[in-house]
Amino acid sequence: MFRWLNGPGAVFKDPLPGSTNYLNAYDPAGNLIRAQTQSAPTLSRKKGEDVETATAVPHNGLEQNIASGKPIPKETSDDLMPFPMNRLFRSQPVLSEELRDKIHKMVQGGMSVRTVSEELEVDMQRVGAVYRLKSIENQWIQEGKKLATPYARAVNEMLPKTPAPPNPKARAVPHESINDLPVHSATTNQLFHPVSESMHFNRTSAAKVFARNLLPAEHRIPHPEMVELAKAAQEHRGRDDIVMKRREELVKAENDLLDAKEERKKAREAAAKKIENPRWLFRFEEIKVESVGKDGRARGGIGARYGVPPQDRKKGQIKIPTRVG
């Protein structure tokens, strides 16, 4: 074991800066496979000598190349395999520290989460999580609390990272898919809907079958403006006007939602009867029995109904169409 650690295993003692350091990225002699085309192997191995007893020069002289400004070849899918016996697992990239700082700075500067997600190609939920965590981190630094910075730095060095754009005009490196269609609860039921052959049945019609107020797929994706941008690219139209128009619509829609939410909150507070004592504050609201609906599962009813399964897969239920609507 010690012969291997002092030989080919010496490259794992000091991780290669700016790159992962997994076993599959190196050959049995301790040479970085993806760099062998750029630099000759520096591991000296005499005729008949065991690989474990060979004399290793860590990283094939790549540290000198890094110091001279030569870039390291990007990891391939085989290099991102931390467990050699599990060839189906690939290590997924995480956000670099520079990209997390950029996300926090953009959101704090007044940009919406949706706009930041579109520009940096990071999911909106991840953008919100990064902003909250970075805010807590900055608060802890101001309060003088001790952070686990060495541990976080060590973990980040082991994982592939998505870098931040080098300048404002540069295109961001995609971190993940940001426009996946979320699964709506109304679409989880199995339905058979007969239609006439002459009927023009599209995505809007399919949405109405599942629920009366359900929007079609192109309107429920997180970034519907990307559909318009793709159409503009195919029609050779300018994208700047579309982006600005869409951002104005999003800002107006977000402000309208905030105003409506604030009005509902004020109306609820005004309708509630409050009784306050030195220790507690009791709130009483007027509730009607009819608010639960005919089946007792209406959204305006009291409490929440959990564990009620859909009826489409229960035994004895009629699953074929009985009439044409």
Side-chain angles (χ1 to χ4, degrees):
M1 181 182 71
F2 290 102
R3 287 187 301 172
W4 181 84
L5 289 175
N6 296 326
V11 295
F12 301 102
K13 182 178 180 181
D14 298 319
L16 187 65
S19 172
T20 55
N21 211 39
Y22 299 150
L23 283 171
N24 279 38
Y26 296 87
D27 61 11
N31 300 315
L32 188 64
I33 297 175
R34 67 178 186 272
Q36 290 183 3
T37 58
Q38 293 190 0
S39 59
T42 57
L43 179 65
S44 60
R45 183 182 175 189
K46 299 178 181 179
K47 185 177 180 180
E49 185 181 13
D50 189 7
V51 174
E52 293 184 352
T53 60
T55 304
V57 178
H59 305 308
N60 296 343
L62 287 177
E63 294 179 349
Q64 289 81 358
N65 294 343
I66 297 172
S68 61
K70 295 181 180 180
I72 304 175
K74 186 175 178 58
E75 296 101 331
T76 63
S77 60
D78 292 336
D79 296 329
L80 301 178
M81 196 185 310
F83 310 111
M85 300 302 293
N86 186 0
R87 303 190 64 83
L88 299 179
F89 178 79
R90 297 293 189 277
S91 183
Q92 299 299 315
V94 298
L95 300 179
S96 63
E97 187 66 27
E98 295 78 12
L99 185 54
R100 292 198 292 265
D101 292 337
K102 186 176 182 64
I103 290 174
H104 181 265
K105 184 178 180 180
M106 293 173 68
V107 177
Q108 198 172 31
M111 296 183 66
S112 65
V113 174
R114 188 185 300 272
T115 305
V116 176
S117 172
E118 180 185 348
E119 288 193 4
L120 301 181
E121 298 200 34
V122 180
D123 186 71
M124 288 194 294
Q125 295 181 354
R126 195 180 304 278
V127 171
V130 168
Y131 177 73
R132 289 190 294 269
L133 292 175
K134 290 297 293 185
S135 300
I136 295 175
E137 179 182 346
N138 295 336
Q139 181 182 351
W140 283 12
I141 293 176
Q142 294 178 359
E143 295 176 356
K145 293 185 178 180
K146 192 173 182 180
L147 304 178
T149 306
Y151 173 76
R153 187 184 301 114
V155 173
N156 284 331
E157 289 177 354
M158 301 178 189
L159 299 172
K161 292 174 284 295
T162 301
N167 55 73
K169 296 183 179 180
R171 183 178 178 85
V173 177
H175 179 72
E176 57 193 339
S177 177
I178 63 173
N179 219 17
D180 293 336
L181 179 65
V183 179
H184 196 277
S185 58
T187 62
T188 56
N189 297 337
Q190 186 180 17
L191 296 179
F192 294 91
H193 184 71
V195 296
S196 174
E197 292 183 0
S198 60
M199 178 180 178
H200 184 63
F201 195 82
N202 51 22
R203 289 189 293 267
T204 304
S205 304
K208 299 299 182 183
V209 172
F210 283 108
R212 181 176 300 177
N213 298 324
L214 184 63
L215 297 176
E218 62 268 20
H219 294 158
R220 290 193 293 115
I221 54 179
H223 298 278
E225 68 277 3
M226 296 182 69
V227 178
E228 296 296 330
L229 292 177
K231 292 180 180 179
Q234 292 180 354
E235 298 172 0
H236 303 286
R237 293 187 286 117
R239 56 173 287 157
D240 295 337
D241 296 338
I242 298 176
V243 172
M244 292 301 298
K245 181 180 178 182
R246 181 58 185 172
R247 287 183 179 175
E248 292 177 358
E249 293 176 354
L250 289 175
V251 170
K252 184 177 182 302
E254 290 177 358
N255 293 335
D256 293 342
L257 286 176
L258 292 176
D259 294 341
K261 184 178 179 180
E262 189 67 23
E263 290 179 1
R264 289 195 301 267
K265 183 178 179 181
K266 292 181 179 179
R268 184 179 178 184
E269 290 292 334
K273 182 180 179 181
K274 300 179 182 178
I275 299 178
E276 186 175 1
N277 59 26
R279 294 188 60 185
W280 310 103
L281 174 62
F282 298 94
R283 301 174 71 255
F284 298 92
E285 297 181 4
E286 294 289 339
I287 298 296
K288 296 182 180 180
V289 179
E290 294 80 6
S291 60
V292 298
K294 295 181 179 180
D295 56 356
R297 298 171 61 184
R299 294 183 59 185
I302 305 172
R305 271 67 178 171
Y306 296 103
V308 182
Q311 305 293 319
D312 57 341
R313 296 191 180 274
K314 291 182 65 176
K315 291 184 179 180
Q317 296 292 328
I318 300 176
K319 303 176 185 178
I320 60 176
T322 57
R323 63 184 180 87
V324 178

